[in-house]
Amino acid sequence: MRRLSALRALLRVELRDALRNRARSWLVVSLVALGMAAMVGGGALFRTARATPHERCASVLGEASLRVRTYDATTREPFERLLPPGARVAAFSERAALLRAGSREASTALWSFERGALDAGGLAQGMLRVLEGRAPRDAGEIALSRSALEALGVERGAAVDLDGRSHAIVGVVALPEQLASSIALVAFAPEQETRLWLVHAPLDAQARLADDLHAAGHSVQRRSELGESDGFEQLVTFVLGGFAFFEVALVIGAVFAVGLRRRQREIGLVGANGATAGDVVGALWLATLVLAALGVLLGTLLGAGCAFALGPWLDAWNGRWNGAVELSGAHIAGGAALGLASALLATVLPALAAARLPIVVALSGRRPVATASRAWLALGAALLGAGGLWTALGLRAGEFAAAASVLGGSIAAVLGLGACSPWLLGVLSRCASRLPLAWRLAARDAARFRARNGPVVTAVLAALSVSIALASLAGSVDELVAAQAREVSVGADRELVGIAIALSAFTGLIVVLIATALATTESSADARVLEAVGATPVVLRTVAGARAGYLALLGALLAAPAGLYPSWGLVELADAKLAFHTPWRVLAAFALGLPLLAFLSAWFAAGSASQRPRPR
Amino acid sequence: MNSHAPILELESVTRVHGAGARAVRALGPVSLTVAPGELVAIMGPSGAGKSTLLALAGALDEPSEGRVRVAGVDLATQSRAQLAALRRRAVGYVFQDLNLLPGLTAAENVALPLELDGLGLARAREEAAAALERVRLGTLAQRFPDELSGGEQQRVAIARAFVGPRKLLLADEPTGALDSVSGEMCMRLLRAQCDAGRSAVLVTHDATHAAWADRVLYLRDGRFVDAGPDASSPAVLRAGRSA
């Protein structure tokens, strides 16, 4: 009862604080919402845009269980003799043809199906869709795809020449998986010979029939062979998706750590009035849960809204008939669980640190004594070693265990490098004596406040490492495609990689700027001293800019190994012979561009802050 | 506990920060006894150990040596949760500034220790309203700290320090950031609370404010001066209210 009453009182304090600091609260809500929107919206678009095993099968063999290409062209009756009792069969044909309309010509794939095969319940249902009008019934009729109509400059109702005969255009058709292809559909003649057959046999007879037909010299495709999903893409989604949510947790953690440091005295005051550490942690978690739940709700609405808004353009984008947008309940539930868990995980360390701070220290507003950086170095080295060992052992295990080891090893690598960062800040600070004043102050301040800057560097490196992993993996796939000289459209994938890189750089920039804003507040006394000894506003701005640029640079440099690690793991996991690729341009953009952007943002922000009237 | 038993006892209390060659003695050894209804003022230069003494008296810090008893309870025998309970029920604090949580109204700030102690919301608000009436701020109960003057904020803090069953107020330069009129009003309130049977230890630099106390003790370099090692002895320097 006491605990509930205390939680209610402190939750009120936390929620009022969230309302008072709307920018910070919105940042937390937005981070969860963006992850959720990506999961729900991106997941829905991905599911919708990708052919399901059923759709992939339907485009090749409709509703049939086997697609057979016979050695010679034959009529229906001799072919049916090869089949067991109870089997259904439908004949179809496909060949190249040249269509003419006036002076225009169009090369097309000419299809024909036995009457009724394309209708509901027919064996070819799903192989080809009639978009307008109807399928041809008689010899003088034809249906064309939109690209064929455009190439010939005709519309439905007009006539085209095929093999020297005029055919009336009665419909518009399309192959569901290749909407842009130029095709034509004509009626199948009753005694037409063909080599292509769709067969539906009882389940227990399918394997035997396939073997018999194959033994007789015919080519056979079975539904069960086509329906296999691509395991590697699922593994990539699992590893990079898990890594992205971990990144969200780290960024939110940095935001909370910074916020709680600001409110250190307030938390001390609560403790002085009798709140226990458990009360404080519980209230912080509950308030986080409220913000995260809001983020989940907004993210779900945003993701679903974007998916439905973008749905109509999806067919034109990927050139296939995608159907209605498919929202996944599993994606929503999984995203909600991950979003809430990420936010709670993010609060664990800052909340415990805030609650365990001695009340006298909290009330004084002084910085708590930082843990010795050598201890952090030892922890970081241990994490890096454990992560490497886990991945090395996991890669020899089964597919899922290997993917889990790559994800776990990657997270351990990020945490390990992050844990080393306080030590690194200390070392760099000692080497800063020859740097210009602003950069020297930045390096020294970063080391003085390394307990706070360690999580900030970790969050930046986590934000950037996802993109580096993605860029490296995309580069490996591109190299493979180029080596095999396959004509695969990778333009859309490159766009997605570009968007991901921009988003992660933006996230890293936000973290750095939040940390810089706090550093500026905490160093206001130093700024007054600088002003008193004659520092110009430009020097003060440069100090603020250097603080941001320094943290961004360190985060970007550490992100390189942290990002290349999961990419290497996934390359090792891939069945295809992928070669590891180092994305030098992305690495250079992060190492140079992000620090510069952070420097300029903080420089201008410091300028606008210094123009505000001073409190009396 | 009988009604004449001391509300606060410090027995040869020492506080040392750090260890070995880096050890710094911040306080002690000092002894102090505060009786019910007594207002004790502690004066001294910066760094004399005044705030350290208050932190030890209020269970915010632990002594390196010696014993601290609040309302008869030896703080050394208490768990962290029990010390938190003591802060909710027995001891109230008033600091120089930043006493109130900015996200809570005046009434909610005063009700906070009661709510933390598990009292129902309605009862807690009732007691908070009564406490605010006692410091003549009943009409401002729904205002947020930003909407109150510095003097009003300190009066809210005093109301919170004495809300519920709390008997001991520890005030660390509560008038330091106030003008003379507001400062005097705060001292009147403290005096009135002590006259009503509660006790207070006041740290101040201002002799006119210390004059409201029953006893004034001087602390220098961590020890009471002129009062001997035991500040509860009758030899302490006494300053009348009229001084």
Side-chain angles (χ1 to χ4, degrees), chain A residues 2 5 16 265 269 271 274, chain B residues 88 98-99 103 108 115-116:
Chain A
R2 188 206 73 76
S5 176
R16 294 261 175 86
R265 202 170 186 283
L269 204 57
Chain B
R88 294 194 296 270
L98 301 170
N99 270 298
E108 287 168 343
E115 282 195 68
L116 288 175

Side-chain angles (χ1 to χ4, degrees), chain A residues 1-17 20-21 263 265-277 279-280 355-361 363 366, chain B residues 55 59-61 80-81 83-85 87-89 91-93 95-105 108-109 112-121 125 144 146 160-161 166:
Chain A
M1 182 61 198
R2 188 206 73 76
R3 172 56 70 88
L4 275 181
S5 176
L7 274 182
R8 185 187 56 207
L10 294 181
L11 182 60
R12 192 185 309 128
V13 173
E14 292 305 318
L15 293 181
R16 294 261 175 86
D17 177 73
R20 287 164 60 86
N21 297 288
R263 297 175 55 218
R265 202 170 186 283
E266 205 177 309
I267 290 168
L269 204 57
V270 169
N273 275 286
T276 62
D279 294 339
V280 173
R356 292 177 64 181
L357 195 63
I359 296 173
V360 178
V361 177
L363 285 171
R366 291 194 304 269
Chain B
L60 296 183
D61 197 5
R80 287 169 69 108
L83 290 176
R87 288 194 291 271
R88 294 194 296 270
R89 295 169 194 159
V91 189
Y93 289 90
F95 305 100
Q96 182 173 341
D97 53 9
L98 301 170
N99 270 298
L100 306 179
L101 295 177
L104 298 183
T105 62
E108 287 168 343
N109 262 291
L112 182 65
L114 301 176
E115 282 195 68
L116 288 175
D117 206 31
L119 198 67
L121 193 59
R125 293 276 165 88
F144 284 92
D146 292 349
R160 186 181 61 198
R166 288 164 151 188

Side-chain angles (χ1 to χ4, degrees), chain B residues 49-65:
Chain B
K50 304 186 296 292
S51 298
T52 303
L53 187 145
L54 280 200
L56 293 170
L60 296 183
D61 197 5
E62 291 173 20
S64 306
E65 287 171 28

Side-chain angles (χ1 to χ4, degrees), chain B residues 84-242:
Chain B
L86 190 88
R87 288 194 291 271
R88 294 194 296 270
R89 295 169 194 159
V91 189
Y93 289 90
V94 180
F95 305 100
Q96 182 173 341
D97 53 9
L98 301 170
N99 270 298
L100 306 179
L101 295 177
L104 298 183
T105 62
E108 287 168 343
N109 262 291
V110 175
L112 182 65
L114 301 176
E115 282 195 68
L116 288 175
D117 206 31
L119 198 67
L121 193 59
R123 278 282 310 282
R125 293 276 165 88
E126 244 172 57
E127 292 213 24
L132 282 170
E133 281 298 337
R134 285 198 292 274
V135 296
R136 281 166 277 162
L137 283 177
T139 54
L140 305 181
Q142 296 312 314
R143 291 210 186 163
F144 284 92
D146 292 349
E147 300 162 349
L148 299 171
S149 70
E152 287 165 344
Q153 288 185 29
Q154 288 303 70
R155 282 153 67 192
V156 173
I158 291 171
R160 186 181 61 198
F162 278 132
V163 76
R166 288 164 151 188
K167 296 288 184 198
L168 175 64
L169 181 143
L170 303 170
D172 194 352
E173 301 195 40
T175 56
L178 302 182
D179 59 66
S180 59
V181 176
S182 302
E184 187 172 327
M185 183 174 279
C186 280
M187 291 313 304
R188 278 183 195 282
L189 284 172
L190 274 184
R191 184 68 256 171
Q193 293 292 330
C194 291
D195 290 344
R198 289 168 169 176
S199 310
V201 178
L202 165 73
V203 165
T204 181
H205 278 109
D206 190 331
T208 58
H209 291 156
W212 288 85
D214 297 306
R215 280 191 285 154
V216 180
L217 306 177
Y218 287 92
L219 201 58
R220 179 175 295 159
D221 298 330
R223 293 169 192 251
F224 290 121
V225 290
D226 299 333
D230 184 359
S232 59
S233 78
V236 296
L237 180 67
R238 178 177 292 273
R241 237 171 290 168
S242 56

Side-chain angles (χ1 to χ4, degrees), chain A residues 42-52 55 320 326-328 331:
Chain A
L45 288 175
F46 186 71
R47 272 168 64 93
T48 310
R50 275 186 62 80
T52 61
E55 286 170 333
R320 67 177 291 267
E326 301 167 40
L327 273 184
S328 160
H331 280 162

